[in-house]
Amino acid sequence: MPFLMRKTRDAEAGALMHSLLKEGDGKSWEGDQYRPSKAVDRADGLGLPASLAVAQQRRNCGNADCAGGWTRPWRNRRRPIFECEWGCSGRCVLAMVQAAARREFGDGDATSTAMHRHRVPLGLVMLAQGWITHPQLQRALAAQRESGTGRIGDWLMSECGLEAEQITRGLGIQWGCPVLTTDGFSSEAMALVMPKLFVDTFKLLPLRVAGSRILYLGFSDRLDASAAFATEKMAELTVESGVVEGVQFEAARNRLLACDGVEMKLEAAEDRDAMAARITAILEQKQPVASRLVRMHQFCWLRLWLESGAIGRTGRLPVQSEDMMDYVFTVGSPA
Ligand SMILES: [Zn+2]
């Protein structure tokens, strides 16, 4: 009964596949698990109204080396606010911005580079899970070598008939992160999270906010800890990173890129000092009620909240593009 046997085998394979995929298959939000992050320093004050109130009440300059200390009561200067601190003068704002730039360039990408170096290759992950056989892996590797391009996951799909979902699950194990879906993805809201330039340049995608505290960040083939950290600081939300299956990822990303984001200006600065001077000039001119500087790889991202109404109730995510401004700087020669 060859026909019946084949049917049974198919059924068994189906059941096996089901058991493999049922846990954390990324189809439901239940797979999104909250893990508290230690990455965000929340001691710097959260809500804008509170920090504004403090700044207005005490008028304490945010520059650690401020010569003026407490400002004179007749001085009518309430803005700009940079990283929850108020600067009593342009000179003090410059000192605050310079300190922020030093901080952003100080740590480098060492942590994430070190993490990347010690990843177990995806093929070996899949092999260890028993999802592929040794000959299958060899075949995919040979095809990849021969063509000289393509990711091993793509070759496992084309050469060995693996499903995209399985590859994504393998990536989740490889990176020790959940598999996320684009369910509940709102392109309009997510387009406000960061400049579209970042979504375009890096393989990442803000997916959704859960419980007003967690921002899910999706990646298509590898996590980017440094980008996640920058996003976390800017959004003042805990960022949970995960991998998203390729076709879903691309579709959602294209939808986001078609939306209006926060108005962004891209500027080139000769060096860090020039950037700090330029940022100070922007702050003095725009007088934001809140602003922050973070670095995402080669870009320095300055975000301005021009009116308090621009800040929603979810971390620091803007509710609309109005009264928001993004400046993105490249520093030094574009080598
Ligand atoms: Zn001062």
Side-chain angles (χ1 to χ4, degrees):
M1 310 188 294
F3 176 68
L4 192 65
M5 269 177 70
R6 204 170 96 207
K7 227 176 135 183
T8 314
R9 263 218 307 273
D10 282 352
E12 276 172 3
L16 179 67
M17 186 68 76
H18 181 73
S19 69
L20 282 173
L21 294 176
K22 77 176 176 202
E23 199 192 323
D25 64 355
K27 284 283 188 288
S28 62
W29 288 29
E30 286 85 84
D32 297 345
Q33 275 184 5
Y34 169 61
R35 285 202 305 271
S37 163
K38 296 181 190 81
V40 171
D41 175 21
R42 296 202 170 259
D44 65 349
L46 279 170
L48 168 84
S51 56
L52 247 192
V54 166
Q56 285 175 1
Q57 200 183 7
R58 289 175 31 218
R59 297 288 182 85
N60 205 2
C61 181
N63 174 18
D65 302 320
C66 176
W70 300 83
T71 46
R72 294 155 194 89
W74 59 81
R75 196 147 180 185
N76 188 24
R77 181 185 157 96
R78 294 182 172 185
R79 298 177 183 183
I81 305 291
F82 178 68
E83 304 194 337
C84 302
E85 300 274 15
W86 168 80
C88 74
S89 64
R91 211 161 59 176
C92 284
V93 172
L94 178 63
M96 287 153 61
V97 171
Q98 281 169 335
R102 275 197 300 275
R103 176 198 69 212
E104 290 304 311
F105 281 98
D107 46 347
D109 274 343
T111 326
S112 55
T113 319
M115 277 172 67
H116 291 171
R117 221 177 288 134
H118 301 295
R119 288 292 138 191
V120 176
L122 178 63
L124 292 184
V125 170
M126 307 283 291
L127 192 64
Q129 294 296 316
W131 294 345
I132 55 170
T133 62
H134 216 268
Q136 278 180 313
L137 177 57
Q138 280 174 330
R139 200 184 334 152
L141 285 170
Q144 187 188 36
R145 220 175 15 247
E146 241 171 73
S147 82
T149 62
R151 300 174 305 173
I152 190 65
D154 295 332
W155 286 111
L156 281 169
M157 285 195 283
S158 65
E159 291 294 305
C160 309
L162 265 81
E163 300 287 333
E165 277 158 296
Q166 259 183 312
I167 302 296
T168 310
R169 271 205 86 195
L171 287 168
I173 293 169
Q174 185 189 23
W175 291 94
C177 69
V179 171
L180 302 173
T181 69
T182 55
D183 293 351
F185 171 75
S186 157
S187 50
E188 289 83 8
M190 292 298 105
L192 301 172
V193 171
M194 62 175 69
K196 286 195 278 179
L197 173 70
F198 296 167
V199 175
D200 208 22
T201 308
F202 309 116
K203 287 180 172 175
L204 56 82
L205 182 71
L207 292 172
R208 61 184 165 271
V209 173
S212 308
R213 289 197 48 195
I214 308 153
L215 172 65
Y216 284 99
L217 201 56
F219 296 88
S220 68
D221 59 354
R222 50 169 46 226
L223 293 201
D224 183 339
S226 158
F229 184 51
T231 307
E232 190 157 77
K233 283 189 288 182
M234 190 59 93
E236 289 192 2
L237 291 170
T238 300
V239 166
E240 182 76 19
S241 298
V243 284
V244 179
E245 187 270 306
V247 174
Q248 268 187 60
F249 182 93
E250 283 305 319
R253 187 165 84 148
N254 290 338
R255 277 172 57 203
L256 183 148
L257 291 174
C259 290
D260 289 330
V262 171
E263 186 187 344
M264 189 212 52
K265 289 202 163 82
L266 184 62
E267 295 191 8
E270 217 163 89
D271 53 28
R272 249 186 261 177
D273 283 343
M275 181 185 75
R278 176 70 186 125
I279 289 174
T280 304
I282 292 166
L283 293 173
E284 291 293 331
Q285 191 213 338
K286 300 282 181 187
Q287 297 283 300
V289 296
S291 58
R292 184 174 286 278
L293 181 72
V294 301
R295 183 169 66 90
M296 196 175 281
H297 297 293
Q298 70 269 41
F299 300 113
C300 274
W301 170 25
L302 173 72
R303 173 158 269 195
L304 309 181
W305 291 259
L306 299 173
E307 299 297 337
S308 50
I311 302 175
R313 287 187 196 88
T314 314
R316 287 274 178 142
L317 290 187
V319 280
Q320 67 209 8
S321 56
E322 211 178 311
D323 296 324
M324 295 292 304
M325 272 299 295
D326 280 333
Y327 287 84
V328 175
F329 297 90
T330 55
V331 180
S333 53

